[in-house]
Amino acid sequence: MKLKLLELAVSVFVILLLMILHEFPKTVCYCLMSDKEDRKRCISKMFYFHKYVDPIGAVLGVVAYTGFSKPYMYRIQNQKKNFLLGSVGILSLLGIFSVSVYILKCEFFLQDLTLTGESLQAVLIQLFWFYMAVLSGGMLLVNLFPVSVFDMGLLIAGCSARHYLGIIRNDMIIKIVLLFSMVIGLIRNIVFSIISFVL
């Protein structure tokens, strides 16, 4: 029972942290690419970390191991800037996922997803990196879906305005497929399989 409560607390903390770590770099890039007047306004709001938190994404992260952050509605006509923002989002999650799996493998010598820590501190640290790996991998796969406001949507907007309009027209269908994939555990199982293969 105590372990379940620890897992719940750590998973909530990690999903909230991941939302910030995912959206904050994109906000920094957006501010740097803005003109002088917009940049000041953007910088004054970029440290309001609560704006990156999506309640539904947090619940899905804890329940289904696949959450998502609250995407900022970037309205940029420049395709290169859209592509850069999407790339930053994807790379931030990929970097977190890679580092987390590396730490689980090389620091804790995990051969599978079973915790090996004996003390409370050791268990908490392993739980933290375990959830960082699983939830960042889940968020990465979620953001690879071509939802208009997610990272893949920004990448598509950066490549082709015509294709971006196409995903906007089919936005509801794409979101239903994404939600169904999350609820039935498809994304979670893919992430677990990748981590188990690497370990």
Side-chain angles (χ1 to χ4, degrees), residues 46-59:
M46 66 189 293
F47 294 103
Y48 294 166
F49 294 128
H50 63 277
K51 73 178 185 176
Y52 305 127
V53 174
D54 189 296
I56 297 174
V59 170

Side-chain angles (χ1 to χ4, degrees), residues 1-195:
M1 182 64 177
K2 184 186 290 186
L3 182 59
K4 290 294 182 183
L5 291 174
L6 282 175
E7 287 184 22
L8 177 62
V10 173
S11 64
V12 170
F13 174 76
V14 168
I15 191 65
L16 297 177
L17 178 62
L18 278 172
M19 290 179 181
I20 295 169
L21 293 176
H22 176 227
E23 292 296 331
F24 185 71
K26 293 197 291 184
T27 304
V28 171
C29 288
Y30 180 73
C31 290
L32 293 175
M33 292 187 296
S34 301
D35 56 42
K36 189 174 182 180
E37 185 176 332
D38 287 339
R39 187 178 303 156
K40 289 180 180 178
R41 184 168 56 252
C42 180
I43 291 174
S44 68
K45 296 180 179 180
M46 66 189 293
F47 294 103
Y48 294 166
F49 294 128
H50 63 277
K51 73 178 185 176
Y52 305 127
V53 174
D54 189 296
I56 297 174
V59 170
L60 286 169
V62 173
V63 174
Y65 294 97
T66 51
F68 49 85
S69 52
K70 189 174 185 178
Y72 184 82
M73 296 296 292
Y74 300 105
R75 301 183 188 280
I76 302 174
Q77 300 299 321
N78 188 303
Q79 288 187 325
K80 289 183 179 179
K81 291 180 180 179
N82 281 317
F83 190 84
L84 177 61
L85 289 172
S87 299
V88 168
I90 294 289
L91 290 175
S92 66
L93 290 173
L94 182 60
I96 294 168
F97 176 73
S98 301
V99 168
S100 302
V101 173
Y102 177 83
I103 290 174
L104 288 175
K105 182 178 177 65
C106 298
E107 296 295 323
F108 298 110
F109 308 105
L110 294 189
Q111 301 301 314
D112 51 34
L113 297 176
T114 304
L115 298 177
T116 59
E118 296 181 3
S119 67
L120 177 62
Q121 181 180 359
V123 170
L124 281 173
I125 294 172
Q126 284 189 14
L127 280 174
F128 173 80
W129 288 111
F130 168 78
Y131 279 107
M132 284 292 281
V134 172
L135 292 173
S136 63
M139 284 183 70
L140 176 61
L141 292 183
V142 166
N143 276 276
L144 291 179
F145 273 76
V147 177
S148 60
V149 294
F150 285 176
D151 294 333
M152 184 55 71
L154 289 171
L155 289 175
I156 292 171
C159 294
S160 169
R162 180 171 60 83
H163 287 99
Y164 185 67
L165 287 174
I167 67 170
I168 289 177
R169 291 193 194 100
N170 297 298
D171 197 53
M172 185 57 66
I173 296 172
I174 296 170
K175 287 178 179 176
I176 290 172
V177 172
L178 171 59
L179 187 59
F180 182 72
S181 301
M182 296 170 76
V183 170
I184 67 171
L186 177 61
I187 295 176
R188 177 192 65 211
N189 292 337
I190 292 173
V191 173
F192 281 172
S193 297
I194 293 171
I195 295 174

